[in-house]
Amino acid sequence: MGRKGTRNAVLGKVARLGLSEGRTGARTRREAAHHVAPEPPPDGVATILSVRRMDCRWPYGEPGDAAFSLCGRPSERGAFCAAHAAIAYRPTPLSVEGLIRKACLTRCGRR
């Protein structure tokens, strides 16, 4: 017997028919965090040419627009200042195994 469709085709059909909604392992959508971006610094903002390596690169405006600029505050995490990093970076959810490893409940990596 040959296959009639790919795994993804079958999963799509199951989802469209609503057959997976009663599953206990079905994922639920998370609410998006609502962050308010801080206002540009009052002492001026950085441009593409004036931003330095350790300055925040959060964009203000559209890249093709004449008023386009970057935040320019000192970066604290990656390429962004603390306020913009809170918006840009999401914490990764840990699995049960990840939580156990983090808590070091099983042999702490020793063999």
Side-chain angles (χ1 to χ4, degrees):
M1 288 192 166
R3 291 186 177 202
K4 299 279 183 177
T6 64
R7 179 178 184 267
N8 284 338
V10 172
L11 292 175
K13 183 73 168 188
V14 167
R16 285 190 300 276
L17 293 173
L19 299 175
S20 64
E21 291 179 19
R23 270 183 53 204
T24 58
R27 294 182 180 173
T28 58
R29 288 195 174 254
R30 291 182 11 184
E31 291 285 327
H34 298 287
H35 294 285
V36 177
E39 292 296 316
D43 58 343
V45 291
T47 64
I48 293 290
L49 299 174
S50 70
V51 70
R52 293 190 175 143
R53 183 171 176 249
M54 299 303 291
D55 292 343
C56 178
R57 292 176 178 83
W58 188 266
Y60 288 110
E62 293 296 318
D65 194 18
F68 178 74
S69 60
L70 303 171
C71 174
R73 291 184 180 110
S75 63
E76 291 189 23
R77 183 172 170 210
F80 303 116
C81 63
H84 288 128
I87 299 168
Y89 301 119
R90 292 184 358 192
T92 56
L94 287 177
S95 64
V96 173
E97 293 83 17
L99 288 172
I100 290 172
R101 266 182 295 178
K102 197 163 198 96
C104 199
L105 297 176
T106 58
R107 293 199 275 174
C108 296
R110 289 177 263 158
R111 297 184 186 257

